[in-house]
């Protein structure tokens, strides 16, 4: 998840309306860039998408896939490679029209069509039959292994049996879309409330693509509307922790997240809570694109930068919210070996640890190799109060530990940082990833050659072979698959220092005791379906 945010307007304190009987008030730290499941490329968008759309499965309160639009578990044939789903008869769009198998077929084919340039198209790579050659432009999207047999019967063909297939089906990339509506809206689809058609627990209202407030309104056409308790969930963008606290204390927000000194101040409060998430926070380094290399293409420069930041200091002084220093990209206490149950992070250990002396040696060597005595880099980051403190901390660490380096800060709103990442228009970028499903692949898949999530200039054929194998041919051998993912992470960081890993994010928050079932997961978008007050 990219740690970016956009500033709230001055009227935020006056515009968060309170109606305890029907309305729940929560905060977000950034505006929604878009709400189109086909084109979404960031966690803020996917959080919104998870409330207003739904696929064949949805994560339950415990984070396990449960039947959603699928009427029952699929019929599985062809040695585990063909799935036949029946879609609920009562599954409808918010306009009252039925959700059909053709809606899934249309959406999935559009996701893998190279003309769409969907950031999450590679989610289907080596998984859904023919997705790989289609994404490469070598085969017609119509050849994708998904087919509407009749109005409510969907057939899916896989390249190989996939152990994480159910988990994938809970993510936005695999949600249905109504072709007639999407094509009518064209490029406007998913950019405002008026251009959206929903099939989930809520509809997104009072949103124009730029507003710093919006509403999730109960969808009366939703098949399970009886279990959706909230009539309306009002969301206000608040970028400053002190401002959020003021709104919480005046009963204008029902839940807020805390960091740093605020955690220390409220950790004994009866409404204070903490949890560890699966979000890996790191900095990307732009090695170059379109055949043009940058100074960060030098491995010693990258390694020097990666070992020059005191992660424990950042976690203890700035966050204090349960976050933990991270020397890899896959977080700990979430992914476990099928062989012996050991933690992925424990097995792979520390791949890029804080070591200022060694960092200085690498950096000096790198400067010599690129023929420079001094290097100036710009760090792009979000503009929340926490983000600004983090970027200043990183700037201080890098400049103090690496003589000859100057770091300039560029704190920008959410959409600007997202765009900088996607277009690879940055030198250093503070971001990260929260994962979509509980498997190391959700982190490592991002850095395949030409992956829409890569944007670093990194390309390694051995890495690609290992990760693609974990998605495909190794799926039948869980131990070999896990070993491949372990090796891939070592190539990414220990051998190539592609990223600057910082920490695994914790969550510290104050919550109104009347607020129930605000469901969050270590991995996956928040789920407001059962929220009530």
């Amino acid at each position: 998840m990219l740690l970016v945010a956009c500033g709230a307007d001055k009227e935020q304190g006056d515009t968060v309306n309170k109606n305890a009987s029907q309305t729940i008030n929560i905060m977000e730290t950034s505006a929604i860039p878009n709400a189109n499941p086909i084109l979404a490329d960031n966690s803020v968008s996917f959080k919104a998408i998870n409330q207003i759309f739904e696929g064949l499965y949805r994560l339950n309160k415990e984070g396990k896939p449960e039947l959603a639009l699928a009427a029952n578990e699929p019929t599985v044939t062809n040695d585990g490679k063909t799935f036949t789903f029946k879609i609920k008869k009562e599954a409808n769009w918010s306009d009252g029209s039925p959700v059909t198998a053709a809606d899934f077929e249309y959406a999935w084919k559009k996701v893998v069509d190279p003309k769409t340039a969907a950031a999450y198209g590679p989610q289907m790579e080596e998984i859904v039959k023919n997705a790989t050659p289609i994404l490469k432009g070598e085969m017609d999207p119509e050849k994708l292994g998904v087919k509407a047999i009749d109005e409510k019967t969907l057939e899916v063909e896989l390249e190989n049996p996939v152990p994480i297939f159910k988990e994938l089906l809970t993510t936005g990339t695999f949600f249905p879309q109504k072709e007639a509506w999407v094509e009518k809206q064209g490029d406007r689809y998913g950019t405002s409330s008026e251009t959206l058609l929903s099939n989930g627990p809520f509809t997104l209202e009072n949103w124009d693509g730029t507003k710093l407030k919006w509403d999730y309104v109960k969808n009366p056409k939703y098949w399970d509307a009886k279990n959706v308790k909230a009539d309306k969930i009002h969301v206000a963008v608040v970028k400053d922790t002190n401002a959020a606290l003021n709104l919480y204390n005046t009963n204008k927000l029902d839940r807020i997240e805390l960091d740093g000194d605020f955690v220390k101040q409220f950790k004994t409060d009866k409404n204070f809570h903490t949890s560890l998430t699966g979000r890996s926070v790191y900095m990307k380094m732009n090695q170059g694109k379109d055949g043009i290399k940058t100074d960060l293409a030098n491995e010693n420069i990258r390694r020097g930068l990666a070992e020059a930041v005191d992660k424990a200091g950042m976690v203890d002084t700035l966050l204090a919210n349960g976050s933990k220093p991270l020397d890899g990209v896959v977080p700990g206490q979430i992914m476990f070996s099928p062989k012996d149950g050991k933690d992925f992070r424990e097995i792979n250990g520390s791949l890029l640890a804080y070591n200022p002396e060694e960092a200085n040696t690498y950096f000096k060597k790198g400067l010599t190799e690129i023929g420079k005595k001094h290097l100036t880099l710009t760090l792009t980051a979000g503009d929340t109060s926490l983000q600004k403190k983090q970027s200043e901390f990183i700037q201080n660490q890098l400049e103090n530990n690496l003589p000859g380096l100057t770091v300039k800060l560029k704190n920008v709103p959410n959409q600007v940082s997202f765009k900088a990442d996607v277009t690879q228009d940055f030198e250093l970028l503070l971001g990260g990833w929260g994962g979509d499903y509980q498997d190391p692949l959700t982190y490592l898949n991002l850095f395949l050659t030409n992956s829409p999530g890569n944007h670093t200039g990194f390309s390694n054929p051995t890495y690609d072979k290992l990760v693609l194998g974990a998605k495909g041919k190794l799926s039948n051998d869980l131990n070999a698959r896990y070993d491949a993912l372990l090796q891939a992470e070592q190539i990414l960081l220990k051998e190539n220092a592609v990223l600057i890993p910082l920490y695994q994010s914790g969550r510290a928050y104050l919550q109104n005791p009347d607020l129930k079932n605000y469901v969050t997961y270590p991995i996956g978008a928040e789920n407001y379906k059962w929220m009530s007050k």
Side-chain angles (χ1 to χ4, degrees):
M1 171 182 177
L2 290 177
L3 290 176
V4 292
C6 123
D9 56 15
K10 294 181 180 179
E11 298 178 351
Q12 63 189 11
D14 300 323
T15 58
V16 183
N17 299 315
K18 185 76 174 175
N19 184 343
S21 63
Q22 297 184 6
T23 302
I24 294 168
N25 295 294
I26 60 176
M27 65 171 281
E28 178 59 87
T29 56
S30 40
I32 304 171
N34 74 74
N36 179 349
I38 295 172
L39 293 179
D41 59 3
N42 61 87
S43 60
V44 178
S45 290
F46 278 118
K47 187 188 297 185
I49 287 165
N50 203 43
Q51 319 315 323
I52 63 177
F53 291 102
E54 189 167 80
L56 295 165
Y57 291 86
R58 170 179 286 274
L59 293 182
N60 63 17
K61 294 177 184 178
E62 290 70 44
K64 303 296 182 183
E66 67 176 7
L67 293 172
L69 295 187
N72 41 50
E73 294 295 337
T75 300
V76 183
T77 56
N78 189 24
D79 296 324
K81 292 190 290 186
T82 301
F83 289 69
T84 303
F85 293 93
K86 288 290 185 180
I87 298 168
K88 283 184 169 69
K89 293 180 180 179
E90 61 271 32
N92 293 310
W93 291 101
S94 51
D95 64 356
S97 61
V99 176
T100 69
D103 296 334
F104 282 93
E105 180 179 348
Y106 165 74
W108 291 21
K109 288 179 176 178
K110 195 169 181 68
V111 164
V112 298
D113 189 339
K115 294 178 182 178
T116 304
Y120 271 58
Q123 283 271 59
M124 298 189 187
E125 189 177 30
E126 293 296 312
I127 292 177
V128 182
K129 186 176 180 180
N130 295 329
T132 300
I134 293 170
L135 286 161
K136 292 179 179 178
E138 299 170 355
M139 186 179 288
D140 193 298
E142 289 301 314
K143 299 290 186 181
L144 185 70
V146 58
K147 182 180 180 181
I149 303 300
D150 57 40
E151 182 177 86
K152 291 288 187 175
T153 306
L154 181 72
E155 181 183 88
V156 180
E157 292 184 90
L158 305 180
E159 293 286 358
N160 299 278
V162 180
I164 57 170
F165 189 48
K166 279 188 182 180
E167 285 78 4
L168 285 170
L169 293 178
T170 68
T171 66
T173 307
F174 292 84
F175 289 175
Q177 295 293 293
K178 188 173 180 179
E179 181 175 6
W181 179 270
V182 174
E183 296 301 324
K184 179 181 179 181
Q185 302 302 322
D187 292 342
R188 297 171 59 247
Y189 178 66
T191 61
S192 68
S193 296
E194 288 69 29
T195 65
L196 283 166
L197 189 66
S198 304
N199 72 332
F202 301 95
T203 59
L204 181 58
E205 306 295 340
N206 304 314
W207 177 67
D208 65 2
T210 61
K211 281 187 176 179
L212 301 181
K213 55 182 183 291
W214 57 85
D215 298 307
Y216 296 115
V217 177
K218 182 175 179 177
N219 177 9
K221 303 295 184 180
Y222 178 55
W223 69 270
D224 197 29
K226 66 180 183 297
N227 286 315
V228 179
K229 305 302 181 183
D231 292 317
K232 183 169 73 173
I233 300 170
H234 182 76
V235 185
V237 173
V238 187
K239 70 174 183 177
D240 181 75
T241 306
N242 192 57
L245 184 60
N246 288 336
L247 291 170
Y248 177 82
N249 286 333
T250 54
N251 296 319
K252 293 176 181 177
L253 283 175
D254 292 307
R255 175 179 164 127
I256 61 169
E257 294 202 12
L258 303 175
D259 53 66
D261 291 337
F262 293 98
V263 173
K264 300 168 187 175
Q265 181 181 349
F266 289 97
K267 65 181 180 181
T268 60
D269 191 295
K270 64 181 180 179
N271 297 321
F272 175 84
H273 310 273
T274 61
S275 63
L276 185 66
T277 79
R279 181 187 307 165
S280 297
V281 179
Y282 49 74
M283 284 193 288
K284 286 185 175 182
M285 295 179 278
N286 184 359
Q287 298 182 37
K289 64 176 182 177
D290 301 328
I292 301 175
K293 299 290 186 180
T294 71
D295 290 332
L296 291 169
N298 181 277
E299 181 185 329
N300 284 312
I301 294 288
R302 296 197 306 275
R303 195 170 297 278
L305 293 169
E307 295 186 6
V309 180
D310 181 1
K311 307 165 192 184
M314 174 182 283
V315 165
D316 294 340
T317 60
L318 295 183
L319 302 171
N321 60 0
S323 297
K324 295 184 176 182
L326 184 64
D327 294 333
V329 69
V330 177
Q333 302 180 39
I334 295 173
M335 319 293 183
F336 303 96
S337 168
K339 182 188 302 182
D340 52 22
K342 287 186 177 180
D343 189 335
F344 185 101
R345 184 73 276 126
E346 181 183 343
I347 296 171
N348 242 11
S350 174
L351 302 181
L352 278 175
Y354 174 54
N355 189 330
E357 293 79 14
E358 191 170 270
N360 189 25
T361 299
Y362 281 124
F363 187 71
K364 285 181 178 179
K365 185 177 180 181
L367 286 179
T368 300
E369 290 171 346
I370 63 175
K372 292 186 176 182
K373 294 182 178 180
H374 188 275
L375 184 62
T376 299
L377 296 171
T378 297
L379 169 59
T380 300
D383 67 349
T384 65
S385 55
L386 174 60
Q387 282 275 98
K388 290 179 178 178
K389 292 177 183 177
Q390 285 181 304
S391 54
E392 289 168 359
F393 180 90
I394 292 168
Q395 178 189 46
N396 181 267
Q397 287 283 300
L398 292 176
E399 290 186 344
N400 285 344
N401 290 327
L402 302 176
L405 176 65
T406 298
V407 177
K408 296 182 179 180
L409 301 183
K410 184 179 180 182
N411 293 98
V412 296
N414 182 0
Q415 293 93 328
V416 177
S417 185
F418 281 148
K419 185 176 180 180
D421 184 25
V422 172
T423 60
Q424 207 170 319
D425 184 20
F426 65 88
E427 292 179 317
L428 301 173
L429 180 84
L430 179 59
W433 192 245
D436 298 299
Y437 47 90
Q438 200 159 326
D439 188 86
L441 184 63
T442 192
Y443 301 91
L444 300 172
N445 189 56
L446 294 171
F447 301 100
L448 289 166
T449 299
N450 296 324
S451 167
N454 190 331
H455 308 307
T456 63
F458 168 71
S459 176
N460 183 290
T462 304
Y463 180 88
D464 293 348
K465 182 179 179 181
L466 290 165
V467 174
L468 292 174
K471 298 178 72 174
K473 295 179 181 179
L474 295 176
S475 293
N476 289 318
D477 187 339
L478 296 182
N479 291 330
R481 177 182 183 275
Y482 208 75
D483 288 342
L485 293 170
L486 288 163
Q487 187 180 345
E489 190 193 38
Q490 292 179 27
I491 291 173
L492 184 72
L493 297 180
K494 189 173 184 178
E495 296 181 18
N496 290 278
V498 175
L499 306 169
I500 303 175
L502 295 172
Y503 61 90
Q504 178 176 349
S505 182
R507 180 184 288 123
Y509 58 97
L510 288 173
Q511 181 170 309
N512 181 340
D514 294 331
L515 182 62
K516 310 297 183 185
N517 291 317
Y518 188 116
V519 179
T520 63
Y521 311 106
I523 303 291
E526 294 179 359
N527 194 338
Y528 301 157
K529 175 177 176 177
W530 304 283
M531 196 188 300
S532 65
K533 190 174 71 168

